[in-house]
Amino acid sequence: MTELLKISLPDGSVREMEPGSTPYDVAAAIGPGLAKAAIAARVDGEVRDIGRPFDGDAELALITARDEADALELARHDFAHVLAEAVQALYPGTQITFGPATDDGFYYDVKAPDSREPFSSEDLPAIEEKMREIIRADKPLVREVWSRADLIAKWEAEGEVFKAEWAQELPENEDLTVYWSGEPGSEGAWLDMCRGPHLASTGKLDPDAFKLMRVAGAYWRGDQRNPQLTRIYGTGWLNKKQLKQHLHNLEEAAKRDHRKLGKEMDLFHLQEEAHGSVFWHPKGYMIWRELEAYMRRKMDAAGYQEIKTPQVMDVRQWEQSGHWGKYAENMFAVPDIVPEVDEGGDAVSAAPAVADDARWMAIKPMNCPAHVLVFKQGITSYKDLPIRLGEMGCCHRNEPHGALHGLMRVRQFTQDDAHIFCTEAQVVEEVRAFCKLADSVYQDFGFDYHVKLALRPEKRFGSEADWDKAEQELRDAVAEAGMANDEYGWEELPGEGAFYAPKLEWHLTDAIGRTWQVGTIQGDRVLPDRLDATYIGEDGGRHRPVMLHRAIFGSYERFIGILIEHFAGRLPVWLAPTQVVVATITSDADEYGQKVADKLATAGIRVETDFRNEKINYKVREHSLAKVPHMMVVGMREAEEGTVAMRTLGEKQQQVLSLEDALAQVSAEATPPDLRGTEDSAAA
C-alpha cells in the first residue's frame, strides 16, 4: 500500500494526499471556490506553481489574489514572459535574455534581429496587442527540468547565444528548469529558461491590467563591453482598476517632479560641469537654511554637540576603518602631491604626474571615522557618557552617472549626521530617545512612517554574539518607544543591515503613497574596535564604547526633494523661500504696498514686491506658478482703509483683512513648528 503524503495547512489541520498530488489538488479537496481562487502555493516556505507535485510531506499555504504581494510578483513575472513571447512572435530572430519582475511591473532585455533597428516606443502598441492575444489564448504554463547539454544545444541551434552562455555558467548540480507557454512541443508553444514559479496559464492574467511604458538601452549582463540590448519596460497589476490607479499616480508624480518644480520655483539646477552636485539658488538655499536651523535646534535640545571634521583624510585611515575595502569604488581619491608649475606659476602639464610612492587621500563618503577620532582626543570617563556628536557633514560618493537623479541621487550631499558613544547599558535608552526624536520631526512635517529593523547581512564584520546583542537592543528600544506594532508598520528585514551593524530604518509615506527610506540608527561595535576607541570604566579599566550612527533627514538634498514632491511645491509657509508677495493693482498704491512690505519684513517675513505695470491676474498666475503661499494685493481702496486683499495659494476666495490681522496670520504660519509652543508660552 502506498504511503500517503501528510500536508499541513495554516489552520493546523493535516490533509493526507496521494503521492504525485499538487497544491491544486489540496485546494480542490477543500472546495471548488478555493480551487478557483488559488493561483500558487507556498510549500515549506517556498513559492511554487499551483500544479507542481509535492516532493514529500510538506507545510502548505495556498496563495490567492488576496495575498497581494505574492500575487503581484507572480503576475509581473508572467507578464515579462508574455512580453518576450510576443516580441519573438512578431519579430522572428529576436534574441531574449532576462525578464524579472520589478516594484511596479516588469521588463525584458531583448536583442532585435540584425535585419532591423533596435526596438523603439513606436513598436510598443503592436507588442501590447500581441501580449493580449497570448493572454486571451489561456495557454498553459508548464514546468520541465532539462539536462544542461540538451538545453544548451537547443539555445545554440536557435541562435539564442545569450541564453546558451547563461546556461553554461549555471552550477553543474543545479536543475535547469524551463517553462512552456502552450502544451510542450505543440505547434505555437514557446519556451523560456526560468526558475519560476508561474501562474497555471496565461489566462490567469488580466489582459487589461498591464501597459508597456518605455524602452531603454541596456548592456548584456550590465557590462558596456558586451552587446547592447533593448530593455522594454512595462507596468503590471492584478486588475484594470489597479493599473488605472497606478497610471494616475504616475501622472501625479510627474506633476510633482522636484526637478520640474525646482526649475519653476527657481530653487536649484544641475549641470555637466559638476555631475551629481547641486547648484543651489538663493530661494532653494533658503529652504536648506530653514531646515538646517530647525534640525540644529532639535539636536541642541536633545543634548548633541556639533562638530566639524575634515573633507579629506589619508587612505590609510579608511583602510583601518574598513571602508576602503568595502567602498573604495564609490570613493573619490586624490594623490597628496603638489602639481609642478613653471616660473610663471602655470601648470607644466594638464595632468600632474603621480609618483608610484605617492600617498593617497580620500574625500570622505561618510563622517563616522572622523567622529571616532574626535571622541579619542583626551581621556573619556564612563561618567562622560553618553557623548552625542553631531555634524552637518558634507560627503562625496562616486555614484555612476547613469544612477544620478536630481536631488534624490547625488554625488555630493550633506547629512544631518550624528554619532552617540555610550556604554552597553545605555544603548536601549539612547535608541528609544532617538525614536521619539525622529517621531517628533516627522510629525512636524506631516509624514506617516513605518519602522523596520534591517538584520545582519551575509558579509559582515564582528562576532555572532555582538550581532545578536546589537539586534536585540534595537528590538528592545523600539518596543520601549511603543513602536514595535502594526500601527508603526514594524517589520524585520533579514540580510538588509550594514556590514558593521544592524539598523533601524524609517520609511516615510508621501502624499501620493510612495515610500522613502530616510532616517536610520545603527548599533555598531565594530568601528570602535577597529579604530581603538575606549573609555575608562567604573572599574578603572579601558572599555569599548558602543557607537550609534544616526540621521533623521538622511541627506538635506534628498529630503528637500522629497518635501518638494510631497507638497507638490506648496511648501508650508515656514519653509517657503518667499512667504508673501505684495502686489499693487495700480502704481498709485505703490507707496502703500511698500509700507505693507516693510512691515512684513520687520516682523521677519520673507517678502517680495511686485509693482510692475502688469494686470493683477497676470501677477497672480505668475506667483502661483512659483508656489508663493500668500499674495497681498493692494489698491487705493486698501491704502485708504489700511487693509490688504490676501490670496492664499490653492484657495479660490480671497480675504480682505486689516494689515494687523494679515500680519498676525502670516506670522503664525511662518513660525517653525518646533517654536510655536515656545512663542505661545512667551506671549502668555
Side-chain angles (χ1 to χ4, degrees), residues 485-508:
N485 51 57
D486 291 342
E487 180 184 354
Y488 290 90
W490 172 247
E491 182 182 1
E492 297 192 3
L493 307 175
E496 296 294 318
F499 71 90
Y500 54 84
K503 58 181 177 176
L504 293 176
E505 299 175 347
W506 276 256
H507 294 250
L508 307 188

Side-chain angles (χ1 to χ4, degrees), residues 142 144 146 154 179-191:
V142 182
E144 289 186 345
W146 282 37
K154 174 180 172 57
Y179 279 80
W180 290 92
S181 174
E183 290 297 337
S186 65
E187 184 179 353
W190 179 85
L191 179 139

Side-chain angles (χ1 to χ4, degrees), residues 257-295:
D257 190 318
H258 71 281
R259 296 166 298 179
K260 170 179 172 287
L261 292 173
K263 184 175 182 179
E264 292 175 357
M265 298 169 68
D266 191 24
L267 303 180
F268 65 90
H269 81 275
L270 300 108
Q271 62 186 70
E272 290 186 0
E273 286 75 5
H275 274 297
S277 298
V278 183
F279 293 82
W280 289 101
H281 298 189
K283 290 183 178 180
Y285 198 58
M286 180 57 71
I287 300 172
W288 181 301
R289 288 175 56 192
E290 283 290 338
L291 286 174
E292 192 172 64
Y294 166 87
M295 183 54 69

Side-chain angles (χ1 to χ4, degrees), residues 258-509:
H258 71 281
R259 296 166 298 179
K260 170 179 172 287
L261 292 173
K263 184 175 182 179
E264 292 175 357
M265 298 169 68
D266 191 24
L267 303 180
F268 65 90
H269 81 275
L270 300 108
Q271 62 186 70
E272 290 186 0
E273 286 75 5
H275 274 297
S277 298
V278 183
F279 293 82
W280 289 101
H281 298 189
K283 290 183 178 180
Y285 198 58
M286 180 57 71
I287 300 172
W288 181 301
R289 288 175 56 192
E290 283 290 338
L291 286 174
E292 192 172 64
Y294 166 87
M295 183 54 69
R296 190 166 275 125
R297 291 191 299 270
K298 298 292 280 190
M299 290 174 69
D300 287 348
Y304 289 83
Q305 304 172 74
E306 189 169 353
I307 60 175
K308 198 71 175 173
T309 59
Q311 284 290 304
V312 181
M313 292 198 302
D314 196 302
V315 162
R316 289 175 295 185
Q317 181 67 46
W318 299 103
E319 289 175 337
Q320 186 181 355
S321 70
H323 291 92
W324 188 253
K326 293 286 184 180
Y327 290 113
E329 65 182 11
N330 296 116
M331 295 172 69
F332 290 101
V334 294
D336 189 8
I337 62 172
V338 178
E340 186 180 353
V341 297
D342 59 25
E343 293 180 357
D346 295 324
V348 172
S349 61
V354 180
D356 292 339
D357 61 349
R359 290 177 60 184
W360 284 83
M361 311 290 285
I363 304 175
K364 67 177 178 180
M366 53 201 64
N367 302 298
C368 30
H371 286 205
V372 176
L373 298 184
V374 172
F375 174 82
K376 287 176 62 177
Q377 293 300 298
I379 298 174
T380 301
S381 165
Y382 72 95
K383 296 179 180 179
D384 301 319
L385 302 181
I387 292 175
R388 308 180 188 97
L389 300 178
E391 178 175 9
M392 307 303 175
C394 180
C395 299
H396 292 77
R397 293 182 187 172
N398 191 7
E399 302 283 2
H401 287 195
L404 302 174
H405 179 74
L407 301 179
M408 303 303 194
R409 188 84 177 264
V410 292
R411 284 178 156 185
Q412 176 185 295
F413 56 94
T414 299
Q415 298 175 305
D416 64 313
D417 204 6
H419 296 90
I420 303 169
F421 298 88
C422 61
T423 68
E424 289 198 356
Q426 295 168 331
V427 169
V428 172
E429 173 55 27
E430 287 299 309
V431 176
R432 184 205 65 79
F434 176 77
C435 290
K436 292 299 186 181
L437 176 61
D439 177 74
S440 71
V441 170
Y442 299 141
Q443 284 198 35
D444 281 346
F445 290 92
F447 283 116
D448 292 328
Y449 63 84
H450 288 172
V451 184
K452 302 181 186 297
L453 172 57
L455 303 172
R456 69 194 75 184
E458 183 178 346
K459 295 181 179 179
R460 55 187 180 269
F461 291 159
S463 69
E464 293 304 294
D466 281 348
W467 277 90
D468 289 342
K469 188 181 299 182
E471 289 172 351
Q472 191 58 46
E473 287 167 342
L474 297 183
R475 288 189 188 97
D476 292 344
V478 174
E480 289 194 16
M483 297 178 180
N485 51 57
D486 291 342
E487 180 184 354
Y488 290 90
W490 172 247
E491 182 182 1
E492 297 192 3
L493 307 175
E496 296 294 318
F499 71 90
Y500 54 84
K503 58 181 177 176
L504 293 176
E505 299 175 347
W506 276 256
H507 294 250
L508 307 188
T509 302

Side-chain angles (χ1 to χ4, degrees), residues 62-272:
L62 294 166
I63 296 172
T64 70
R66 292 184 177 181
D67 304 300
E68 190 166 285
D70 286 331
L72 280 171
E73 179 80 13
L74 287 158
R76 289 165 178 167
H77 190 182
D78 282 15
F79 278 127
H81 280 258
V82 172
L83 165 60
E85 181 180 355
V87 172
Q88 288 199 313
L90 288 171
Y91 310 101
T94 298
Q95 292 189 59
I96 58 175
T97 61
F98 298 119
T102 64
D103 287 344
D104 64 358
F106 55 95
Y107 70 79
Y108 215 110
D109 288 348
V110 298
K111 188 177 188 301
D114 294 337
S115 60
R116 60 156 291 157
E117 295 295 315
F119 297 112
S120 70
S121 57
E122 294 178 357
D123 297 308
L124 299 186
I127 298 172
E128 279 189 357
E129 190 53 43
K130 189 64 177 179
M131 289 177 66
R132 292 191 177 92
E133 180 184 318
I134 293 168
I135 292 169
R136 292 189 178 108
D138 195 19
K139 301 172 71 174
L141 298 174
V142 182
R143 178 181 183 270
E144 289 186 345
V145 179
W146 282 37
S147 73
R148 172 185 305 279
D150 287 348
L151 187 55
I152 292 172
K154 174 180 172 57
W155 293 138
E156 289 178 342
E158 296 180 357
E160 294 281 7
V161 297
F162 303 111
K163 288 287 188 183
E165 178 184 322
W166 185 249
Q168 288 169 344
E169 296 182 10
L170 291 173
E172 291 186 6
N173 59 350
E174 182 175 317
D175 288 341
L176 299 186
T177 55
V178 300
Y179 279 80
W180 290 92
S181 174
E183 290 297 337
S186 65
E187 184 179 353
W190 179 85
L191 179 139
D192 195 5
M193 181 170 66
C194 180
R195 287 192 177 93
H198 284 281
L199 299 173
S201 69
T202 60
K204 296 296 183 181
L205 297 170
D206 184 338
D208 297 318
F210 79 94
K211 181 176 178 59
L212 298 184
M213 304 299 291
R214 61 189 175 93
V215 299
Y219 291 102
W220 168 236
R221 305 178 84 164
D223 189 333
Q224 62 184 1
R225 295 169 295 183
N226 290 336
Q228 187 164 21
L229 311 170
T230 300
R231 179 167 293 176
I232 303 176
Y233 286 95
T235 185
W237 300 85
L238 299 179
N239 53 59
K240 185 177 180 179
K241 181 179 179 181
Q242 288 182 341
L243 173 64
K244 184 178 179 181
Q245 182 61 51
H246 176 69
L247 295 178
H248 170 75
N249 290 346
L250 290 180
E251 290 178 8
E252 189 62 31
K255 295 175 187 175
R256 294 167 178 262
D257 190 318
H258 71 281
R259 296 166 298 179
K260 170 179 172 287
L261 292 173
K263 184 175 182 179
E264 292 175 357
M265 298 169 68
D266 191 24
L267 303 180
F268 65 90
H269 81 275
L270 300 108
Q271 62 186 70
E272 290 186 0

